[in-house]
Amino acid sequence: MIDADILAAAERLLDLARTRGLRLGTAESCTGGLIAGALTAIAGSSDVVEAGFVTYSNEAKTAMLGVPSALFPAVGAVSSEVAVAMAEGVLAQLAQIDLAVSVTGIAGPGGGSAEKPVGLVHFGLARRGRPTATTHEIFPGDRAAIRRATVAKALALLTSAV
């Protein structure tokens, strides 16, 4: 899953964050820690990467990141609102983090619907002192391809915000 392109993107992000003195964190659902794994696969990443939260269940999102439980029945776990709350939750939990990315999606092969198809991933990007951004993608392919594309997009979002 962590191929040469992902590792190169992670290394570029870490170098950029390091030069700007920024600390990073992640909140992951459908990627199960792959974003943090890509970042920490790079030697010396500990001076930039502070923490990664794997919150696969709704209960974990609430307990670890403070995502309001009322969001789940209202908009669903795979939503921009939950992605924003996850990213902001990282900043709330750890004062030393400057920038956080979150992902919540449907990697498949099941679990999709007409409104929320397999491949739909919502991203949150929170940086202290700035409004939290959100975006989404519908990635093609199987579970592995969707998760790989999600990691690549998350790294690109972090890099653009550094």
Side-chain angles (χ1 to χ4, degrees):
M1 183 71 62
I2 303 178
D3 60 32
D5 290 340
I6 295 284
L7 290 175
E11 191 160 17
R12 282 191 301 276
L13 168 60
L14 291 170
D15 288 344
L16 190 57
R18 190 175 292 114
T19 63
R20 299 205 173 136
L22 297 175
R23 303 282 295 168
L24 308 177
T26 64
E28 303 180 59
S29 186
C30 61
T31 50
L34 292 173
I35 300 165
L39 290 168
T40 58
I42 307 299
S45 61
S46 62
D47 63 345
V48 174
V49 178
E50 182 66 32
F53 294 85
V54 176
T55 56
Y56 209 65
S57 71
N58 294 347
E59 293 79 10
K61 289 173 182 66
T62 297
M64 296 172 70
L65 299 171
V67 175
S69 59
L71 278 180
F72 303 115
V75 296
V78 179
S79 63
S80 60
E81 295 88 347
V82 169
V84 165
M86 289 171 66
E88 291 176 350
V90 175
L91 297 184
Q93 290 298 318
L94 300 163
Q96 63 274 36
I97 290 180
D98 303 294
L99 181 61
V101 70
S102 66
V103 297
T104 181
I106 305 167
S113 67
E115 300 81 29
K116 295 184 181 184
V118 170
L120 174 64
V121 180
H122 286 273
F123 299 82
L125 187 65
R127 183 163 178 183
R128 292 203 189 277
R130 297 186 186 171
T132 300
T134 185
T135 190
H136 72 277
E137 297 282 346
I138 299 175
F139 296 115
D142 63 9
R143 183 175 182 83
I146 291 165
R147 287 165 40 112
R148 186 210 175 278
T150 301
V151 172
K153 176 73 174 191
L155 294 174
L157 288 170
L158 284 167
T159 301
S160 71
V162 170

